[in-house]
C-alpha cells in the first residue's frame, strides 16, 4: 500500500516537474526569429488600412491572431512587445507613425492590447491539439482582449486626458461594429493559415 502511494506521488511529482520545466524552457533562436518575423508582419499590416473617423481598419489584428495561433505563449508575447516598443522608440510601425506621443492617442489602447491578446490565444492553443476550430476560438479570445482594452483606453484617454465628449454610440459604431466583420474574416483566414503552417512544420 505504501509502495503504491509512493509510486503515485513520484509520478505526480515527475509530471509536475516536467510541467515546470516546459514553462521555464528558454526561448530558442528559432523562437526569436519567428517573433521578429511576426513583429515585422504586424508593422506591415499597420500600413494596410481603411481609415474611419475614429479608428483605421488594418491587417494588424490578422497577424496578432496568427502569432497567437502558431507561436508559444512567450514567443507570441515577445513578438508583439517588440512591435509595441519599436513604435514607442520612434520607428514608423504604427498606422500613423510612431514615438512616445502615440501613448496619448485614444487608439493606442488597441496597440497595447496586441500583446496580451496574442498571449491569451497562444495559451488557449497550447491546451489541446491544433485544429481549425480551436484556432478560431483562440482568435476570438484575442479579439475580445483587443476590443476590451482598446475601447476602454479610447474612452478613458478621450474623456479624462483630452477632455472630449465621446458618444458611446459613435465609439461603438466606429471602433467596434464597423471593424468587427473584417476582424472576423481575418480570424477565419488566420486559423486556416495556422493549420497549414502547422502541417508544414513551419510554426
Amino acid at each position: 500500500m505504501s509502495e503504491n502511494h509512493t509510486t503515485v506521488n513520484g509520478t505526480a511529482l515527475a509530471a509536475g516537474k516536467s510541467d515546470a520545466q516546459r514553462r521555464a524552457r528558454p526561448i530558442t533562436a528559432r523562437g526569436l526569429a519567428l517573433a521578429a518575423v511576426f513583429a515585422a508582419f504586424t508593422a506591415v499590416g499597420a500600413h494596410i488600412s481603411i481609415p474611419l473617423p475614429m479608428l483605421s481598419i488594418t491587417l494588424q489584428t490578422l497577424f496578432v491572431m496568427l502569432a497567437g495561433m502558431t507561436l508559444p505563449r512567450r514567443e507570441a508575447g515577445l513578438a508583439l512587445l517588440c512591435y509595441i516598443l519599436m513604435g514607442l522608440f520612434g520607428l514608423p510601425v504604427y498606422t500613423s507613425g510612431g514615438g512616445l506621443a502615440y501613448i496619448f492617442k485614444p487608439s493606442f489602447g488597441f496597440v497595447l492590447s496586441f500583446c496580451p491578446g496574442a498571449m491569451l490565444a497562444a495559451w488557449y492553443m497550447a491546451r489541446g491539439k491544433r485544429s481549425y476550430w480551436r484556432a478560431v476560438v483562440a482568435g476570438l479570445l484575442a479579439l475580445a482582449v483587443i476590443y476590451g482594452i482598446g475601447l476602454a483606453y479610447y474612452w478613458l484617454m478621450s474623456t479624462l486626458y483630452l477632455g472630449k465628449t465621446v458618444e458611446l454610440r459613435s465609439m461603438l459604431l466606429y471602433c467596434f461594429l464597423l471593424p468587427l466583420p473584417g476582424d472576423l474574416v481575418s480570424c477565419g483566414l488566420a486559423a486556416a493559415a495556422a493549420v497549414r503552417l502547422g502541417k508544414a512544420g513551419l510554426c
Side-chain angles (χ1 to χ4, degrees):
M1 187 72 180
S2 61
E3 187 180 343
N4 287 341
H5 185 68
T6 306
T7 305
V8 170
N9 280 349
T11 305
L13 212 65
K17 200 179 283 186
S18 66
D19 285 345
Q21 285 169 350
R22 276 199 298 272
R23 285 194 295 269
R25 67 172 179 75
I27 297 176
T28 63
R30 183 173 182 270
L32 288 173
L34 287 172
V37 167
F38 275 100
F41 281 163
T42 308
V44 171
H47 296 287
I48 303 171
S49 63
I50 301 170
L52 293 175
M54 289 185 171
L55 186 75
S56 293
I57 299 174
T58 73
L59 284 184
Q60 287 168 299
T61 48
L62 186 150
F63 294 116
V64 171
M65 289 185 284
L66 187 57
M69 293 171 187
T70 55
L71 299 181
R73 182 169 53 89
R74 286 188 299 170
E75 282 87 335
L78 178 63
L80 279 306
L81 180 61
C82 286
Y83 169 72
I84 294 168
L85 291 176
M86 283 192 298
L88 291 178
F89 281 122
L91 294 177
V93 295
Y94 299 154
T95 305
S96 302
L100 284 173
Y102 221 91
I103 292 172
F104 303 106
K105 284 179 171 285
S107 59
F108 184 67
F110 289 93
V111 176
L112 276 181
S113 69
F114 291 163
C115 187
M119 291 182 76
L120 178 61
W123 172 84
Y124 180 76
M125 289 297 290
R127 304 273 76 79
K129 186 179 177 182
R130 185 184 298 189
S131 68
Y132 177 79
W133 289 110
R134 175 167 284 276
V136 166
V137 173
L140 293 176
L141 289 172
L143 286 178
V145 172
I146 290 168
Y147 279 109
I149 295 175
L151 289 169
Y153 191 97
Y154 194 102
W155 186 84
L156 289 169
M157 187 57 67
S158 296
T159 55
L160 300 183
Y161 178 74
L162 298 176
K164 293 181 178 180
T165 302
V166 178
E167 287 187 15
L168 183 60
R169 184 172 58 180
S170 296
M171 187 180 75
L172 290 176
L173 174 63
Y174 291 113
C175 298
F176 178 63
L177 293 176
L178 288 180
L180 183 61
D183 283 337
L184 292 176
V185 172
S186 293
C187 181
L189 293 174
V195 171
R196 285 183 175 274
L197 288 169
K199 287 179 178 177
L202 296 175
C203 286

